[in-house]
């Protein structure tokens, strides 16, 4: 397949992020042509001036549209793109210089219509960013669903670092209006259309999340609420492991109560788990502050996701309402 990469980036009020991403694209060691499509999703802080500064350095196009969410903005960008293989990135990503070369190598070695790449932390990230990055990517916390050498089950690409052929995009129907959750929803439809997905372990990005603890809790809580909706939409995709954060936090509460009355063994199992988590984070990041914050990040992650998953599961199973009626904030309105 003679490929032309089109890099699709939806952006909402993040001109500084766009500048950093475009700088990293300008520094790619990739020797073939590629284009960049920036889709401004109804921003009040527009990135047009930033984009203009790169027009003589990159093949780039810029579009402004009404706010309709990142999924719809990616669809818009892919419809405007000239390439036949789309690479979808979040605006808060920075690419190592070999990124496109690694993608090209993987596709040449064994072509696949949809891929995902890992999420990494750059040395310049804050301790909070590194701790959150660790718990979002570690096999010990998420089962490696955001990329790595190990994953639980069939790999599901995430839209911060995802590739999809024009053919697969058109046959799968593009992204839906749910957010978050639009990327696994698309992945399931890609599978249903007869296409495979694969992890490209060396095609990683530095995911520079602009996030604090409250935003992180809200994010993972929404992830938890979305999963039962996807399970309902795509029968057969549900897994017992999705219950892990809910059961983990309930079990920890029970373990604390048992410890108060003198039964320490259950709580010691939790201490052992968090000790392993701490040591792994320390080895990977070589920073004791990051390792300590990793424990807190994991607790926020499990609590937020667990509560969201349980709430959504109960409402979906014991209510006659559709998901969009129950959780209107998880859906962008039709335009």
């Amino acid at each position: 397949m003679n490929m032309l990469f089109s890099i699709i980036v939806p952006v909402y009020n993040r001109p500084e992020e766009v500048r950093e991403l475009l700088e990293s694209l300008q520094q790619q060691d990739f020797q073939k042509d590629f284009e960049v499509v920036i889709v401004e999703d109804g921003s009040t802080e527009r990135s047009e001036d930033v984009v203009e500064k790169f027009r003589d350095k990159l093949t780039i196009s810029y579009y402004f549209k009404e706010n309709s969410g990142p999924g719809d903005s990616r669809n818009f960008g892919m419809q405007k793109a000239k390439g036949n293989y789309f690479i979808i990135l979040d605006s808060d990503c920075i690419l190592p210089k070999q990124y496109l070369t690694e993608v090209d190598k993987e596709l040449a070695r064994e072509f696949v219509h949809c891929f995902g790449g890992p999420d990494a932390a750059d040395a310049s990230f804050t301790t909070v960013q590194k701790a959150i990055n660790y718990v979002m990517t570690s096999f010990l916390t998420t089962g490696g669903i955001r990329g790595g050498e190990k994953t639980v089950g069939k790999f599901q690409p995430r839209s911060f670092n995802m590739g999809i052929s024009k053919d697969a995009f058109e046959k799968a129907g593009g992204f839906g209006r749910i957010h978050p959750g639009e990327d696994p929803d698309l992945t399931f439809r890609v599978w249903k259309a007869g296409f495979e997905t694969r992890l490209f372990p060396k095609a990683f990005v530095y995911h520079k999340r602009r996030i604090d603890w409250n935003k992180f809790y809200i994010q993972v809580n929404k992830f938890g609420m979305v999963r039962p909706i996807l399970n309902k939409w795509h029968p057969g995709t549900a897994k017992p492991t999705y219950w892990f954060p809910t059961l983990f936090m309930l079990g920890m509460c029970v373990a604390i109560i048992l410890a108060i009355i003198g039964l320490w063994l259950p709580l010691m199992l939790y201490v052992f788990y968090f000790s392993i988590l701490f040591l792994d984070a320390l080895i990977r990041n070589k920073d004791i502050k990051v390792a300590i914050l990793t424990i807190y990040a994991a607790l926020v992650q499990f609590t937020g996701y667990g509560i969201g998953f349980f709430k959504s599961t109960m409402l979906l199973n014991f209510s006659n309402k559709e998901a969009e009626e129950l959780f209107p904030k998880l859906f962008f309105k039709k335009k």
Side-chain angles (χ1 to χ4, degrees), residues 76-221:
F76 181 93
M78 288 185 277
Q79 289 161 357
K80 296 290 185 181
K82 298 179 177 66
N84 57 4
Y85 206 104
F86 309 128
I87 296 176
I88 302 155
L89 302 171
D90 280 355
S91 62
D92 58 356
C93 289
I94 300 171
L95 307 188
K97 66 179 182 178
Q98 74 278 8
Y99 174 83
L100 287 174
T101 299
E102 292 297 340
V103 170
D104 194 51
K105 284 180 182 178
E106 284 280 358
L107 290 172
R109 181 179 66 83
E110 184 183 350
F111 183 80
V112 67
H113 281 272
C114 185
F115 76 86
D119 175 351
D122 185 64
S124 65
F125 285 14
T126 67
T127 53
V128 172
Q129 286 174 324
K130 289 177 181 178
I132 290 175
N133 178 270
Y134 174 86
V135 299
M136 292 291 281
T137 59
S138 173
F139 184 81
L140 294 172
T141 51
T142 64
I145 62 171
R146 286 180 172 257
E149 294 299 328
K150 298 178 181 178
T151 58
V152 174
K154 198 172 180 181
F155 182 67
Q156 299 177 23
R158 292 298 189 268
S159 54
F160 66 88
N161 179 13
M162 179 182 189
I164 184 169
S165 70
K166 185 176 182 179
D167 187 29
F169 162 69
E170 291 176 345
K171 289 180 179 175
F175 290 96
R177 294 183 298 108
I178 193 170
H179 178 73
E182 69 275 17
D183 31 14
D185 175 48
L186 175 58
T187 296
F188 296 146
R189 286 184 280 108
V190 164
W191 292 345
K192 189 175 180 180
F195 300 103
E196 294 297 320
T197 57
R198 194 169 85 242
L199 168 68
F200 288 6
K202 293 184 179 180
F204 64 88
V205 300
Y206 299 118
H207 199 178
K208 195 174 183 180
R209 298 176 179 88
R210 269 68 169 185
I211 200 166
D212 57 31
W213 294 117
N214 183 59
K215 289 178 181 177
F216 181 51
Y217 177 86
I218 292 171
Q219 182 185 58
V220 294
N221 182 250

Side-chain angles (χ1 to χ4, degrees), residues 217-281:
Y217 177 86
I218 292 171
Q219 182 185 58
V220 294
N221 182 250
K222 286 183 176 180
F223 288 160
M225 288 191 287
V226 159
R227 182 54 67 177
I229 297 172
L230 297 178
N231 293 345
K232 187 174 182 180
W233 286 357
H234 304 282
T237 63
K239 300 176 184 177
T241 51
Y242 295 150
W243 278 96
F244 175 77
T246 304
L247 298 177
F248 183 92
M249 295 310 297
L250 287 174
M252 190 167 73
C253 292
V254 172
I256 292 171
I257 293 171
L258 291 174
I260 292 172
I261 62 174
L263 298 174
W264 285 91
L265 180 59
L267 188 60
M268 288 301 99
L269 294 176
Y270 279 88
V271 171
F272 176 75
Y273 170 79
F274 283 115
S275 298
I276 295 298
L277 202 65
F278 173 85
L279 290 173
D280 188 58

